[in-house]
Amino acid sequence: MLRVGSEAACLACRNLVSTNMGVRFRIPLQKLHPLSRAIHHRYAGNTNPQRPPHRTAARYFTSMSRLPMRPPKPPPGSGGRGHQQQRNFWVVRLASRLLKLRYILLGSAVGGGYTAKKTYDEWKDMLPDFSEYNWVIPDFVWELSEQIDLEKLAKALPEIEELAKLLPDFDKIGENFTFLKSLLSSETSGDPPLKATDSSTAATQEGSDKQYKKSSDKERLDQLQEELLRTQLKYQRMLERLEKENKELRKVVLQKDDKGIHRRKVKKSLIDLYSEVLDILSDYDANYNTQDHLPRVVVVGDQSAGKTSVLEMIAQARIFPRGSGEMMTRSPVKVTLSEGPHHVAMFKDSGREFDLTKEEDLAALRHEIELRMRKSVKEGQTVSCETISLSVKGPGIQRMVLVDLPGVISTVTAGMAADTKETIFRISKAYMQNPNAIILCIQDGSVDAERSIVTDLVSQMDPHGKRTIFVLTKVDLAEKNMASPNRIQQIVEGKLFPMKALGYFAVVTGKGSSGESIDSIKDYEEEFFQNSRLLRDGMLKAHQVTTKNLSLAVSDCFWKMVRESVEQQADVFKASRFNLETEWKNNYPRLRELDRNELFEKAKNEILDEVISLSQVTPQHWEAILQKKLWERVSTHVIENIYLPAAQTMDSGTFNTTVDIKLKQWTDKQLPHKALEVAWETLQEEFARFMAEYKGKDQDDIFDKLKEAVKDDSIKRHKWNERAMDSLRVIQHNALEDRSITDKPQWDAAIQFMEETLQSRLKDTESVIGDMVGPGWRQRWMNWMNRTPDQHIRNETKNELERLLKLHDEHTAYLANDEVTTVRKNLEGRGVEVDPVLIKDTWHQLYRRHFLQKALSHCSLCKRGFYYYQRHFVDSELECNDVVLFWRIQRMLVITANTLRQQLTNTEVRRLEKNVKEVLDDFGEDMEKKTHLITGRRVQLAEDLKKVREIQEKLEAFIEALHKEK
């Protein structure tokens, strides 16, 4: 190629500036390709086609610009004396030519060094100003200058110019050796050296010209393209090797810094600060038209198009669960990528680090992500809008925030919810409608482009393609299966889809097996594109292939969008904060701005104080309350089922036997349960009473729902100790078996207890009878009230039954059938039709009143019967066995109340306090529960204020760090 004329050389340079280089604007060839100019354009000055090309090169680079003229031929007739003389001194002339060889080599070395230095200067001028990209390098690299004297280290290294000067121009050396070879061959053949050299060189050049003229333009173009591709791959390998060394060096530096060699305050990275802002915004319920417009990279694509694989290649680890054709991404996953000394992953709400270099940790991470996805999906749904936040750190990872969304589907299959398709569209649109979101549109290259759904969706959200990056996956399968590779070129040039994009990329993210490592896939991807005719034929450009180039482009676009929009968003939240603070000052000027969590902690402390106050209740108060409530609970059973049936007996022996049997049955089956129910209800009532009393002390009514829920849930959880019931049954049984009244005060107390009970029952019975018969004549006249027909019938029935009781004062508790018939006929004679059932019901209440009146009269007689009781009522007509019964009941109540009080104060109050703490802890962990129980505009306003302030502070800290990094 070096021997081609000027036209061929210039054509080669122009072919080097092809579309494969990604250059879309015209630049002078001399400036764009200095290395090419150094190789080819030294021949461009040869405008004389008669001059041999190699001699031009020699005259240009060597000191033999003016060669000595050839001696003239001897005249005929001279006898060849001159020729003989020339033959005698050929050794001298050969030695002279060999001595001139050193000048050839020395000239070549000097010319090569000068050319290398000039080429280096021109390449150096072409490099951009990298000072604008200082933000890419983390802070700790700049801090190394404080610990390491980089200038001294740099001075110790040799200059690049000096190294370049030492390198000869091997192409020129090869040409000079060819020239020397021609000289030696000419001397050996006996011909004049320069003539032989000229003729041989001309012949060689003519043959070369003929060979190149025979070759077609297409072949030359293919050769140049192959040479260009080899050059690109060569420098690509050099760059990868340097990047690998740089990655290892950065890892060592980060590890040293992580171990604390540099004792400095731990500072969060820029991307971590930004990710925290996004996490807060995801939980923020926007008011005052404040929306989250901060940039993030949204990864969208059809199902199984390779979205997750692209993200894994960027994160350099297999971190997501995988499935064969089924939906695996069921909720948005926000992945924060940043650089760090170790390749690890961590969830936002967990402190566990997953080592991504270990397969067991990778499997555990994938399992945890799958569990979180399934947990976020509500019953009856297939996908969820709840975001899972994950951070990945590692050496050489590009800093950005990506959100992996569920794949877009065209058909709802069996097992999916009916609204799955619409839900996925709604989630995708919610993320893509952010005007600052970067849309990473993933398209499966192995299937027909017409089957794509996501491209239409992306076109709707970003019709001008100002924030969309298109990625074609599975290019290896596409090249293998596609009959027309030009379709791939049309896709990556944006000519096949109506969708527009900032850039188009082609990647390979797998080898067909889910068990392949990221490194093996990267090697496979690089090898594929090296041998792919898509790149070789110019269908794809070098900067459009590999996930590495994609990652760099996405990261660059992400940070550009962040710089352009973050300050505007900070101003929006600043205005929102002002509005919220103004509303709080106008509505709640005397209250602190407590959010929902702070209010819950305040209510929690109040509730625990109220529970502890139960221990301050005196034993006398507990026993009085327990005794009263227990008697209210069992009094009906004692009167109706024990006292009244026993009182119908004829003698005292039968009375005592009936009482003992019924008390024993009652104690075995009902009494202990009733007593424990009363004790638990008493504890609840006292707890509620203390809460009500505390409420009067300037308590905030915003806690009412929470306290009521805590009380109810604590009651449901509380279970009385079953062993206490067994011991209580024994105590009650022993108390009821005792009949020995030791002194007169106990006797009087029993009589008083009996009188109070009978009077209360008599009062209740009188009230029931009054409701049955209606108002009396006084009420009718004074209050203008009348009886109903039913009350009139019952009143007539009552009057008839009262006449029966006056005739038979010792009548039994039940009416005989003939007595019922007689009463009914008497009423019919007065024109009152009555039912036998009504007669019996009326008789029951009348006899009950009659019995209670007699019992009260008997109780008055027994007030002086203690003396007869001590003699066991011998030689006495007075029998007060009913007083003994009420003494036994009263003593049982006292003993039971004392036992329950001891159990309450010693055990149950502490158990209640424990239950309340457990309920409060459960409520504290359940944000949905707290939101339901602590509500109101005041709470919501405080919540919004806290969130907006936190967002604004985080944004300001991020902006400050961003400016420092610039």
Side-chain angles (χ1 to χ4, degrees):
M1 187 179 71
L2 297 178
R3 303 192 179 198
V4 185
S6 61
E7 295 180 0
C10 294
L11 176 62
C13 295
R14 290 188 179 89
N15 283 320
L16 285 175
V17 191
S18 64
T19 57
N20 296 339
M21 298 298 293
V23 180
R24 299 184 181 180
F25 48 87
R26 302 184 61 86
I27 297 177
L29 190 63
Q30 290 81 0
K31 185 173 182 180
L32 183 61
H33 290 285
L35 181 60
S36 175
R37 183 164 57 83
I39 296 175
H40 302 293
H41 284 203
R42 57 174 178 253
Y43 304 104
N46 185 11
T47 58
N48 186 4
Q50 311 245 334
R51 180 177 292 180
H54 79 276
R55 178 172 293 189
T56 304
R59 290 175 61 85
Y60 187 84
F61 288 110
T62 67
S63 60
M64 300 176 65
S65 299
R66 305 176 70 91
L67 296 177
M69 298 181 63
R70 275 181 287 177
K73 293 183 180 180
S78 61
R81 294 178 56 189
H83 180 68
Q84 182 66 32
Q85 184 180 4
Q86 191 175 14
R87 289 174 56 89
N88 294 334
F89 294 97
W90 69 269
V91 177
V92 177
R93 288 196 296 271
L94 177 61
S96 175
R97 296 294 189 273
L98 289 177
L99 289 175
K100 291 181 180 179
L101 177 61
R102 58 181 179 178
Y103 296 104
I104 296 174
L105 296 177
L106 181 60
S108 299
V110 173
Y114 172 77
T115 304
K117 183 177 183 302
K118 187 174 181 181
T119 302
Y120 168 77
D121 292 337
E122 292 178 351
W123 273 90
K124 186 177 179 181
D125 294 338
M126 288 178 60
L127 293 176
D129 187 5
F130 287 101
S131 61
E132 299 179 359
Y133 299 92
N134 290 342
W135 57 270
V136 178
I137 304 175
D139 297 339
F140 67 87
V141 176
W142 303 115
E143 295 174 2
L144 285 176
S145 59
E146 300 177 2
Q147 308 294 333
I148 303 174
D149 191 352
L150 297 178
E151 294 182 358
K152 183 176 180 181
L153 183 62
K155 290 179 180 179
L157 298 174
E159 295 293 339
I160 299 179
E161 291 85 349
E162 297 178 3
L163 294 175
K165 291 178 180 180
L166 298 177
L167 297 175
D169 192 338
F170 293 103
D171 294 335
K172 299 171 185 176
I173 294 176
E175 292 177 3
N176 288 306
F177 271 108
T178 304
F179 178 69
L180 177 63
K181 182 178 179 182
S182 64
L183 288 176
L184 296 177
S185 62
S186 64
E187 290 293 338
T188 305
S189 61
D191 294 330
L194 294 181
K195 183 176 180 181
T197 303
D198 290 344
S199 61
S200 63
T201 305
T204 305
Q205 182 62 34
E206 290 176 1
S208 176
D209 291 340
K210 290 180 181 180
Q211 181 179 359
Y212 274 98
K213 287 179 181 178
K214 291 180 180 179
S215 60
S216 63
D217 293 340
K218 183 177 179 181
E219 292 177 352
R220 285 184 289 173
L221 181 63
D222 291 342
Q223 292 176 359
L224 292 173
Q225 287 180 345
E226 290 179 1
E227 183 178 356
L228 175 63
L229 183 61
R230 286 194 299 269
T231 305
Q232 289 176 343
L233 294 177
K234 173 184 176 183
Y235 286 107
Q236 184 70 21
R237 293 193 193 97
M238 293 175 62
L239 286 174
E240 290 178 356
R241 179 176 57 81
L242 293 174
E243 287 176 356
K244 184 176 180 181
E245 294 176 356
N246 184 35
K247 180 179 176 181
E248 295 295 330
L249 177 61
R250 291 170 66 87
K251 182 176 180 180
V252 172
V253 173
L254 287 170
Q255 286 176 343
K256 290 182 179 180
D257 189 61
D258 191 50
K259 293 177 181 178
I261 295 179
H262 307 298
R263 296 295 180 182
R264 59 184 178 87
K265 183 179 179 180
V266 177
K267 186 170 62 175
K268 292 184 178 179
S269 65
L270 196 63
I271 191 66
D272 290 335
L273 290 174
Y274 187 75
S275 180
E276 287 181 0
V277 175
L278 295 182
D279 289 336
I280 299 171
L281 282 173
S282 64
D283 300 330
Y284 174 61
D285 185 15
N287 287 322
Y288 298 98
N289 297 323
T290 301
Q291 298 179 355
D292 174 17
H293 287 167
L294 288 177
R296 70 262 285 160
V297 181
V298 180
V299 186
V300 295
D302 299 329
Q303 183 178 340
S304 302
K307 299 185 291 69
T308 303
S309 298
V310 171
L311 205 155
E312 286 179 337
M313 291 291 289
I314 296 175
Q316 302 180 14
R318 294 284 196 185
I319 58 177
F320 290 103
R322 316 189 70 79
S324 55
E326 61 177 327
M327 179 182 293
M328 297 305 297
T329 305
R330 297 180 178 270
S331 65
V333 182
K334 182 177 75 68
V335 183
T336 303
L337 301 178
S338 59
E339 191 174 26
H342 307 287
H343 202 186
V344 296
M346 181 186 298
F347 290 100
K348 178 186 72 172
D349 55 354
S350 174
R352 178 184 177 184
E353 279 191 351
F354 297 88
D355 189 349
L356 302 183
T357 61
K358 298 180 180 179
E359 187 57 38
E360 55 270 18
D361 279 21
L362 278 171
L365 176 62
R366 291 191 291 266
H367 181 66
E368 180 67 20
I369 293 176
E370 185 175 2
L371 288 179
R372 288 175 179 254
M373 285 184 181
R374 296 188 180 278
K375 184 179 178 181
S376 66
V377 177
K378 297 181 180 179
E379 185 176 358
Q381 299 294 321
T382 305
V383 294
S384 169
C385 60
E386 183 179 340
T387 305
I388 299 173
S389 295
L390 177 70
S391 63
V392 177
K393 297 183 178 181
I397 296 180
Q398 298 298 320
R399 304 178 301 171
M400 68 185 91
V401 177
L402 302 101
V403 181
D404 186 21
L405 299 180
V408 178
I409 61 175
S410 58
T411 305
V412 177
T413 59
M416 292 185 179
D419 62 342
T420 301
K421 179 180 177 180
E422 290 75 15
T423 304
I424 294 175
F425 270 83
R426 185 173 65 254
I427 294 173
S428 301
K429 287 182 178 179
Y431 277 91
M432 289 191 292
Q433 69 183 2
N434 178 1
N436 296 321
I438 301 167
I439 303 173
L440 196 63
C441 180
I442 309 298
Q443 169 66 34
D444 189 350
S446 63
V447 299
D448 295 335
E450 289 77 9
R451 295 168 55 184
S452 175
I453 306 172
V454 71
T455 51
D456 294 336
L457 180 62
V458 173
S459 297
Q460 297 174 10
M461 306 308 296
D462 185 23
H464 301 291
K466 294 182 179 180
R467 51 190 180 90
T468 301
I469 296 177
F470 183 85
V471 182
L472 187 67
T473 61
K474 306 177 184 179
V475 182
D476 53 340
L477 299 179
E479 183 185 29
K480 180 180 179 182
N481 301 330
M482 193 170 292
S484 175
N486 292 329
R487 280 179 68 86
I488 298 179
Q489 184 177 5
Q490 291 178 344
I491 293 174
V492 298
E493 289 180 355
K495 297 179 180 179
L496 190 63
F497 294 111
M499 183 193 72
K500 298 179 181 179
L502 284 173
Y504 298 83
F505 289 86
V507 298
V508 176
T509 58
K511 299 169 63 176
S513 174
S514 60
E516 295 291 340
S517 65
I518 297 296
D519 292 335
S520 64
I521 295 175
K522 284 184 177 180
D523 295 339
Y524 171 73
E525 182 185 39
E526 180 183 351
E527 181 181 358
F528 166 76
F529 283 116
Q530 287 179 3
N531 302 322
S532 174
R533 65 191 182 110
L534 297 174
L535 193 64
R536 186 174 63 249
D537 295 344
M539 298 180 186
L540 295 177
K541 301 178 180 63
H543 68 273
Q544 288 184 304
V545 298
T546 71
T547 51
K548 181 178 180 181
N549 290 336
L550 170 65
S551 176
L552 291 171
V554 173
S555 177
D556 183 62
C557 186
F558 168 75
W559 285 107
K560 179 182 178 182
M561 191 75 76
V562 168
R563 287 185 172 83
E564 292 176 352
S565 61
V566 67
E567 293 188 1
Q568 180 182 0
Q569 290 298 304
D571 294 338
V572 171
F573 282 102
K574 185 176 181 180
S576 177
R577 174 178 176 177
F578 175 78
N579 294 337
L580 293 172
E581 289 177 344
T582 303
E583 182 180 355
W584 183 274
K585 291 177 182 178
N586 293 332
N587 295 303
Y588 312 102
R590 297 179 179 274
L591 296 177
R592 288 193 301 131
E593 300 168 3
L594 300 179
D595 60 11
R596 185 171 281 108
N597 290 329
E598 293 170 336
L599 288 172
F600 179 80
E601 291 299 324
K602 182 180 178 181
K604 178 179 179 180
N605 294 330
E606 289 184 5
I607 294 171
L608 292 177
D609 290 342
E610 293 162 8
V611 175
I612 293 175
S613 63
L614 286 174
S615 60
Q616 300 175 2
V617 179
T618 61
Q620 294 80 7
H621 181 74
W622 278 119
E623 291 182 11
I625 296 175
L626 290 169
Q627 186 175 343
K628 179 182 178 182
K629 289 186 173 296
L630 182 59
W631 175 239
E632 290 175 355
R633 183 66 59 87
V634 302
S635 60
T636 301
H637 181 85
V638 171
I639 299 299
E640 301 294 335
N641 298 328
I642 298 177
Y643 176 56
L644 288 178
Q648 305 302 318
T649 58
M650 302 302 295
D651 53 29
S652 61
T654 307
F655 178 88
N656 291 331
T657 302
T658 303
V659 167
D660 290 343
I661 293 173
K662 291 186 175 294
L663 287 176
K664 180 68 167 60
Q665 293 175 350
W666 183 46
T667 306
D668 291 340
K669 296 180 180 180
Q670 299 181 13
L671 183 57
H673 293 280
K674 295 290 184 181
L676 292 181
E677 289 177 3
V678 167
W680 179 227
E681 291 176 3
T682 303
L683 181 60
Q684 297 176 38
E685 292 177 1
E686 287 298 302
F687 180 39
R689 182 176 66 85
F690 275 99
M691 292 177 69
E693 290 178 357
Y694 198 89
K695 182 178 179 180
K697 301 176 181 178
D698 299 329
Q699 188 201 19
D700 201 338
D701 57 359
I702 206 170
F703 301 142
D704 291 347
K705 290 178 65 176
L706 175 61
K707 290 186 176 181
E708 192 67 25
V710 170
K711 184 184 72 173
D712 295 341
D713 209 62
S714 301
I715 292 170
K716 291 178 182 178
R717 296 189 184 190
H718 187 83
K719 292 182 180 180
W720 208 277
N721 192 352
E722 295 181 357
R723 292 178 297 176
M725 185 179 296
D726 297 333
S727 61
L728 182 62
R729 181 181 290 109
V730 174
I731 293 172
Q732 290 173 339
H733 190 273
N734 294 333
L736 290 173
E737 284 186 346
D738 188 8
R739 302 180 187 176
S740 57
I741 303 175
T742 58
D743 53 15
K744 184 69 166 56
Q746 293 183 10
W747 181 268
D748 294 338
I751 291 176
Q752 182 182 358
F753 175 61
M754 180 179 175
E755 284 182 341
E756 292 174 355
T757 302
L758 295 177
Q759 288 174 356
S760 175
R761 291 292 164 177
L762 180 59
K763 184 178 179 181
D764 294 340
T765 304
E766 291 285 359
S767 176
V768 172
I769 294 173
D771 293 337
M772 291 172 61
V773 301
W777 65 270
R778 181 179 298 177
Q779 290 178 335
R780 292 198 304 272
W781 282 98
M782 297 293 293
N783 299 328
W784 294 87
M785 299 176 64
N786 292 320
R787 289 175 178 154
T788 63
D790 184 66
Q791 289 175 343
H792 178 71
I793 295 173
R794 283 187 179 274
N795 183 60
E796 293 295 331
T797 304
K798 177 182 78 73
N799 295 333
E800 186 66 27
L801 292 174
E802 283 179 346
R803 285 193 291 269
L804 179 63
L805 276 176
K806 288 180 181 179
L807 295 174
H808 303 282
D809 187 62
E810 299 295 333
H811 200 287
T812 61
Y814 302 100
L815 285 174
N817 291 333
D818 55 348
E819 291 176 330
V820 173
T821 302
T822 302
V823 171
R824 186 167 61 85
K825 288 182 179 181
N826 291 338
L827 291 174
E828 288 177 355
R830 294 199 296 270
V832 179
E833 295 291 336
V834 65
D835 187 74
V837 177
L838 186 144
I839 296 174
K840 291 181 179 181
D841 291 341
T842 307
W843 168 259
H844 176 72
Q845 297 299 331
L846 291 176
Y847 180 81
R848 183 185 181 88
R849 184 181 65 180
H850 175 70
F851 172 79
L852 292 173
Q853 291 172 350
K854 286 179 62 178
L856 282 172
S857 300
H858 181 69
C859 185
S860 300
L861 295 175
C862 289
K863 288 182 179 180
R864 60 180 184 273
F866 181 69
Y867 171 75
Y868 300 102
Y869 166 76
Q870 288 181 325
R871 297 179 60 185
H872 305 287
F873 301 105
V874 177
D875 299 333
S876 173
E877 295 181 357
L878 182 65
E879 292 183 358
C880 297
N881 293 311
D882 50 356
V883 176
V884 177
L885 170 62
F886 276 91
W887 178 84
R888 294 165 70 182
I889 296 296
Q890 186 182 35
R891 187 168 182 271
M892 182 274 297
L893 293 175
V894 173
I895 293 175
T896 301
N898 181 269
T899 304
L900 292 176
R901 188 267 306 168
Q902 293 181 12
Q903 189 169 359
L904 281 173
T905 55
N906 296 335
T907 306
E908 301 304 327
V909 171
R910 288 197 294 270
R911 290 184 61 206
L912 176 63
E913 183 180 355
K914 181 181 178 181
N915 289 338
V916 170
K917 287 181 179 179
E918 291 177 355
V919 171
L920 288 171
D921 291 341
D922 293 343
F923 285 3
E925 295 175 357
D926 190 349
M927 194 62 198
E928 184 177 354
K929 196 82 171 178
K930 287 192 292 185
T931 304
H932 174 69
L933 296 176
I934 304 178
T935 58
R937 178 54 189 162
R938 169 186 155 195
V939 181
Q940 191 60 46
L941 188 59
E943 284 283 310
D944 293 344
L945 262 174
K946 178 184 177 183
K947 290 291 184 182
V948 170
R949 283 173 179 163
E950 188 176 6
I951 292 170
Q952 185 188 359
E953 291 172 359
K954 294 288 186 182
L955 280 173
E956 289 176 352
F958 172 75
I959 293 171
E960 183 181 358
L962 190 65
H963 289 164
K964 287 182 178 179
E965 193 172 73
K966 285 183 181 180

